[in-house]
Amino acid sequence: MQGRPVDKRLRLIFAGLGLVLMVAIAVWMLQGLPEGRARSFVLGLRAERLAGLLLVGVTTGVATVMFQTLAGNRVLTPQIMGFDSLYILLQTILVAGLGITGFASIPTWSKFLLDTAVMIALGCILFGSLLGRGSRDIARTILTGVILGVMFRSLSAFIGRVLDPNEFAVVQQSSFASFGHLDAALLPVAAILTAAAVGLALSMAGQLDVLGLGRDRAVALGLRHRRVVFVTLGLVAVLVAVPTALIGPVTFFGLIVAGLTHGILRNPRHAMLLPAAGMIAAIMLIAGQLVFERLLGQASFLSVVIEFAGGLFFLYLLLKGRIR
Amino acid sequence: MIRIEDVSHSIGPARILHDIRTGFPKGRLTALIGPNGAGKSTLVRLVGRLENLQSGRISVDGHDLALTQTLELARVMAILGQDTAIASRLRVRELVAFGRWPHHNGRPRADDHARVETALENFALTQLADRFLDEISGGQAQRAHIAMCFAQDTPWLLLDEPLNNLDMSHSRALMQRVSDLVRRQGRSVVMVVHEINYAAAWADHIIAMKDGRIMAEGDPDTVLNQRTLSELYDADVQVSRHQDRPLVLHHA
Ligand SMILES: Nc1ncnc2c1ncn2[C@@H]1O[C@H](COP(=O)(O)OP(=O)(O)O)[C@@H](O)[C@H]1O
Ligand SMILES: [Mg+2]
């Protein structure tokens, strides 16, 4: 029986990823710790930020890999298809509906849960029909996604104009990515949602493998295709809502992560791909934040750099004709 | 037996199939022939439940398509579509192994591995098993797809133009394997064939389609005659005989 060398290679890769992640976490927590009473305070702060970065990394990595499997190509991300703009639109509508005092008075986590629930429903309706048929017309799919994204964003902006400037500022705050400032109040509920969604995703890893063969072959092999498509989209909606709520929209980060994951693993099994994607994303975020925040003292640059690099990678994929 | 009763199909305003009523006999090799656009692929896709049934009824060995779980159907029939492009990057062995999925649902046993190796061997793919699908020729990839259907190990096989991309020797090897399955193992095969002499040489039963209707059906000797074929393809076709089988000559 062959297949053994592959398994050995994968084990090495995971050992490597785990080691790098551990080192990154250790450096993140322990580098330049102050002495005395400030120590435990700084540690607590760092742990909080670390949890945020881990959550953002894991959700983005897992969501992108799942989404690309569903869409049947390696160029799309949920964000390119306007998933995160949808989340921001929902936030805006919520502010508009409740007014700034109402928005501030309901607990953050219940807003977040409400948004996520609506997003699951809308995401399934909007993208289920678009992606579920296994359309090979990728140019049209991308175009539709970009148009939807622009539409959601302009709708948010329009509602923002109608709101008074104070209220709009509340929304604006939540529509730009910043790894520096994350909403710590959301961490517990975000962690629970992430754990549930990732757990469910892992439990259907085998079905995702079959889904990746395209609609026809998946149906021929007995996969309940429509159901799996909708469950996948629902999970992706949750896994996009989490990072968008924590730090704001990041369009191209997932693209780099998914590209790296497939490039490194060279294995189609989601039982391997999903954990690897989560680990790779977490490593990139923690290491990147270490470099920009502690080394260069420019915490806010990370999202810019990631978006820039990711954008270039997106262009590279498009120009190389890597769209399949 | 696959029964097809009063099946019509439309895409938008276009009527693709008109009240098709026919059957694929069990334990036989059935060939679907006819010009491009006749509706052969549509019919095969409907039987393979890749397309939703709009009207009529289809049953496979008594399993009504509308009432049977799709996983159960995957253990009764394997279907190879005409479109074989795949988004994920797979090795040949990984693709073939997916054929076992309906039987193990993600947890392959030793028996599943063994059957995959057998399928690879049968299609001369053992040497290529660890290559990626986009690193081999179109014909080799086509063989990998067929091997996946064989690995599925179902009583019924539906193959839409499986000879696409195959050279003469691999075409013949495939037809030999298929007819082996039918005659030795009692399995049933339905295939869309363009090279009519393959149908003439190997098929037990022929269904000729044109413009979404069945024009003729029956054994090769009754269907493959000059009048039917000339009308089917709107071209002058001669039929002679070779080794007691019809031989169709279509060079003018
Ligand atoms: N997606 C589609 N949209 C519109 N017409 C289609 C579509 N798919 C197939 N057709 C039409 O249906 C008819 C039958 O197609 P098909 O079953 O593929 O024929 P065959 O396999 O016999 O060549 C053709 O006339 C074709 O143009
Ligand atoms: Mg066809």
Side-chain angles (χ1 to χ4, degrees), chain A residues 1-2 72-74 136 206-207 209-210 212-213 215-217 219-224 266-268 324, chain B residues 45 49-50 70-71 74 79 83-91 93-94 98 101-102 130 132 134 145 152:
Chain A
M1 188 60 219
Q2 287 255 306
N73 81 79
R74 300 278 171 80
R136 295 226 165 273
Q207 296 178 33
D209 295 346
V210 179
L213 295 177
R215 183 191 169 274
D216 280 2
R217 253 172 302 266
V219 172
L221 289 175
L223 187 76
R224 291 163 74 183
R266 288 161 63 88
N267 184 297
R324 277 184 297 164
Chain B
R45 290 174 59 80
R49 48 93 174 83
L50 301 184
T70 183
L71 183 62
I79 169 166
D83 172 23
T84 50
I86 292 189
S88 25
R89 200 150 181 270
L90 296 176
R91 293 184 174 82
R93 178 181 281 111
E94 290 164 348
F98 272 113
W101 197 79
D130 289 314
F132 282 103
D134 54 7
H145 280 98
Q152 207 171 325

Side-chain angles (χ1 to χ4, degrees), chain B residues 11 16 35-42 82:
Chain B
I11 300 179
I16 310 282
N36 293 327
K40 307 179 296 292
S41 294
T42 308
Q82 222 174 334

Side-chain angles (χ1 to χ4, degrees), chain A residues 226-246:
Chain A
R226 271 181 67 83
R227 213 187 66 136
V228 174
V229 164
F230 279 111
V231 173
T232 306
L233 276 173
L235 291 177
V236 168
V238 174
L239 294 172
V240 172
V242 168
T244 313
L246 283 177

Side-chain angles (χ1 to χ4, degrees), chain A residues 21-263:
Chain A
L21 184 58
M22 285 304 156
V23 169
I25 289 175
V27 174
W28 172 270
M29 290 302 291
L30 303 176
Q31 178 265 331
L33 265 187
E35 293 298 319
R37 292 185 55 207
R39 191 181 196 110
S40 65
F41 175 72
V42 170
L43 270 177
L45 216 58
R46 284 185 178 179
E48 202 169 68
R49 297 273 312 284
L50 176 69
L53 291 178
L54 282 173
L55 284 176
V56 171
V58 168
T59 48
T60 309
V62 172
T64 312
V65 168
M66 284 177 84
F67 188 77
Q68 292 190 343
T69 295
L70 171 73
N73 81 79
R74 300 278 171 80
V75 190
L76 294 181
T77 69
Q79 285 81 8
I80 293 173
M81 296 296 293
F83 250 78
D84 57 343
S85 329
L86 180 61
Y87 179 84
I88 287 159
L89 175 62
L90 292 175
Q91 282 273 328
T92 314
I93 290 173
L94 211 60
V95 176
L98 298 173
I100 185 163
T101 37
F103 188 75
S105 72
I106 51 174
T108 337
W109 59 267
S110 61
K111 271 184 302 211
F112 174 57
L113 282 183
L114 183 67
D115 276 352
T116 308
V118 178
M119 208 168 130
I120 292 174
L122 281 179
C124 283
I125 295 169
L126 281 175
F127 299 105
S129 56
L130 188 63
L131 301 164
R133 286 168 309 186
S135 151
R136 295 226 165 273
D137 192 353
I138 288 161
R140 203 181 63 176
T141 313
I142 295 183
L143 200 61
T144 315
V146 169
I147 289 171
L148 280 176
V150 170
M151 210 175 72
F152 295 150
R153 265 188 287 272
S154 355
L155 252 174
S156 308
F158 173 74
I159 298 173
R161 295 272 151 70
V162 179
L163 299 174
D164 76 52
N166 280 338
E167 295 184 355
F168 192 48
V170 174
V171 180
Q172 280 280 316
Q173 235 178 12
S174 57
S175 33
F176 290 101
S178 156
F179 293 95
H181 309 279
L182 57 90
D183 198 340
L186 284 180
L187 280 178
V189 63
I192 293 171
L193 279 181
T194 303
V198 172
L200 203 57
L202 283 174
S203 78
M204 55 189 279
Q207 296 178 33
L208 288 170
D209 295 346
V210 179
L211 187 67
L213 295 177
R215 183 191 169 274
D216 280 2
R217 253 172 302 266
V219 172
L221 289 175
L223 187 76
R224 291 163 74 183
H225 185 261
R226 271 181 67 83
R227 213 187 66 136
V228 174
V229 164
F230 279 111
V231 173
T232 306
L233 276 173
L235 291 177
V236 168
V238 174
L239 294 172
V240 172
V242 168
T244 313
L246 283 177
I247 58 157
V250 208
T251 310
F252 291 119
F253 176 48
L255 192 68
I256 306 182
V257 174
L260 274 175
T261 306
H262 284 292

